[in-house]
Amino acid sequence: MTPRRAAIPLEDQASAVYSFNVPWVESPFFYGILAQKNPPAPLAKLATEYHENGYCILEDLLPPDLCDQTIEETQGLYNPQLPDGPRSYYRAQDAWHESAAVKKVATLPRVLELLEFFYDRKPVPFQTLNFRHGTQQAGHSDSIHFSSLPARYMCGAWVALEDVTVENGPLFYYPGSHKLPELDLYQLGMTLETANYSEYERALAALVKQLKLEPKQLTIKKGSGLIWASNLIHGGSHISKAGATRWSQVSHYYFRDCIYYTPFFSNRSFGEYLHRPEVVDIGTGERVKQTFDGTPFEVQPAEGGRVRFVTQRAAGAASAPAAPPGQDELNALRQEIQSIKGSRSYRVGRALGTPVRVARQVLSQIRR
Ligand SMILES: O=C(O)CCC(=O)C(=O)O
Ligand SMILES: [Fe+2]
């Protein structure tokens, strides 16, 4: 018997690019999509850096007076008594509520425009962190704190409000580490019951060592900064000059038409998520309407305050099951399907239609 062969070899049916429903800048088909987009050379260079390394550096993002104003408007928000927490001696979370300068830094048109290009969706600045001193944080991915459905629609923009040298605890990161899977507790051998952030940090440090990843330090001028992809492993280096300040701001961004959740307290293996229903766009001050690629959804309660996401259609079907079709109706449908499948035009159409359909799907996702 001759072996069965596809009428058209699979590799020829394949379209040049698939989205895989990740941001195109993180897609394995990045170079094909970039060629289609054909942006001006400087933009192509930034996108390529971001794709390959998981970050790109942006010089002169802020004028010096906006840096100074941001420091001035936030310096009263630190709490010298507290060693850690949202408002502690080194950190002021969500100072945009009090400071117009912080809000301005989080909504810089240059950053928002670049992010919209990288992610093909409107960015949503949703959190700010201002730092008086270096964080000396161990390596982590922000995707353990913030993730989205579809995945990877999250990133951070970090700006130096004063010069950063090797002495005042510069940011460090592992170029290319964003390409690792988005890890969560379960992949690291923990459960929600045994969840422990220090253990997460130890596991990540071991992974970095095992993969022999090389860190880079960001020594950078006042007013310059960088954007990093949500899964890039990064942290704050040791402060070698005691008491040195490292005034800086990080703004975190989600993107429109996604569902937002906290991976650290989710059990993705079982489809149970700690939802973040209250994501507010710093630019508009309004709560963001969440969808899955434009499809509305509902939440069903699961264990420990977590939820399952279901489409509204599925939620409706569960409460009012549609009447099953009658036997006659089913038989007629089966017959119709058989006769269509038996026809020559169906087989030719199928062979020709598949690549066209795939290409259409891909194009519609890319253009979104
Ligand atoms: O600025 C730093 O040292 C690290 C900040 C950070 O990791 C973050 O805000 O996500
Ligand atoms: Fe971080």
Side-chain angles (χ1 to χ4, degrees):
M1 210 169 105
T2 47
R4 285 188 57 191
R5 293 181 141 223
I8 297 177
L10 274 182
E11 58 273 26
D12 294 346
Q13 290 182 34
S15 154
V17 294
Y18 280 82
S19 86
F20 288 155
N21 215 0
V22 289
W24 73 272
V25 78
E26 295 216 41
S27 164
F29 295 95
F30 168 79
Y31 296 99
I33 304 172
L34 183 68
Q36 284 176 357
K37 287 184 177 286
N38 195 19
L43 207 48
K45 185 166 175 281
L46 285 178
T48 305
E49 277 169 26
Y50 197 76
H51 171 72
E52 291 178 355
N53 300 325
Y55 66 90
C56 60
I57 293 175
L58 302 174
E59 308 273 343
D60 302 322
L61 262 179
L62 304 186
D65 56 342
L66 182 54
C67 295
D68 299 342
Q69 196 190 341
T70 308
I71 294 174
E72 204 180 301
E73 289 183 15
T74 53
Q75 54 193 352
L77 301 176
Y78 297 89
N79 183 343
Q81 314 305 330
L82 286 182
D84 215 340
R87 297 278 169 108
S88 45
Y89 81 96
Y90 75 101
R91 183 156 93 135
Q93 183 174 322
D94 287 326
W96 65 273
H97 287 293
E98 292 104 325
S99 157
V102 169
K103 187 169 165 182
K104 202 165 174 182
V105 174
T107 55
L108 289 175
R110 185 169 153 203
V111 170
L112 296 180
E113 279 159 25
L114 188 61
L115 292 183
E116 188 164 350
F117 174 66
F118 281 1
Y119 287 83
D120 254 348
R121 297 190 190 204
K122 284 246 175 282
V124 177
F126 71 94
Q127 189 194 63
T128 57
L129 295 173
N130 284 73
F131 300 115
R132 174 161 56 180
H133 300 284
T135 67
Q136 303 190 84
Q137 260 193 80
H140 64 278
S141 298
D142 287 348
S143 61
I144 193 74
H145 304 294
F146 310 108
S147 194
S148 60
L149 293 170
R152 293 179 183 255
Y153 283 93
M154 191 266 147
C155 72
W158 189 102
V159 197
L161 302 177
E162 68 175 314
D163 289 351
V164 178
T165 67
V166 290
E167 290 184 325
N168 59 353
L171 192 74
F172 70 83
Y173 40 73
Y174 294 91
S177 56
H178 66 302
K179 294 194 176 176
L180 288 166
E182 278 191 288
L183 295 170
D184 63 23
L185 298 181
Y186 288 82
Q187 283 134 348
L188 297 173
M190 283 177 267
T191 66
L192 285 167
E193 290 71 34
T194 62
N196 174 326
Y197 191 74
S198 307
E199 193 51 38
Y200 161 78
E201 290 177 332
R202 273 193 288 277
L204 230 55
L207 179 67
V208 158
K209 194 169 164 198
Q210 176 69 29
L211 297 177
K212 299 191 171 63
L213 301 182
E214 289 292 335
K216 271 199 171 163
Q217 275 190 333
L218 184 72
T219 50
I220 196 166
K221 285 261 166 256
K222 172 176 177 173
S224 293
L226 90 168
I227 298 176
W228 69 67
S230 65
N231 206 35
L232 184 81
I233 302 177
H234 63 275
S237 310
H238 173 66
I239 303 170
S240 59
K241 187 172 160 202
T245 57
R246 194 210 66 182
W247 295 98
S248 45
Q249 176 171 327
V250 182
S251 310
H252 286 137
Y253 301 83
Y254 270 134
F255 292 83
R256 293 266 167 180
D257 284 323
C258 295
I259 301 175
Y260 315 121
Y261 71 95
T262 305
F264 193 78
F265 296 112
S266 298
N267 183 348
R268 292 192 283 218
S269 312
F270 281 70
E272 296 179 359
Y273 295 85
L274 189 75
H275 188 203
R276 290 178 173 265
E278 299 295 336
V279 169
V280 168
D281 185 328
I282 294 174
T284 62
E286 281 171 15
R287 188 176 152 184
V288 182
K289 180 174 161 42
Q290 303 184 24
T291 68
F292 182 83
D293 290 342
T295 302
F297 66 96
E298 287 186 5
V299 294
Q300 290 178 346
E303 298 240 332
R306 289 179 289 280
V307 300
R308 292 173 184 283
F309 299 119
V310 288
T311 61
Q312 282 180 346
R313 211 174 34 193
S319 53
Q327 198 54 46
D328 288 352
E329 218 178 325
L330 271 180
N331 286 340
L333 266 173
R334 276 199 197 106
Q335 255 182 16
E336 200 177 329
I337 290 168
Q338 281 317 320
S339 70
I340 294 171
K341 278 192 164 172
S343 71
R344 191 178 136 73
S345 55
Y346 168 77
R347 278 179 271 125
V348 174
R350 197 173 133 87
L352 295 175
T354 303
V356 174
R357 200 168 53 247
V358 168
R360 274 210 195 107
Q361 277 169 2
V362 170
L363 277 175
S364 71
Q365 285 170 13
I366 292 169
R367 286 194 192 126
R368 191 179 28 238

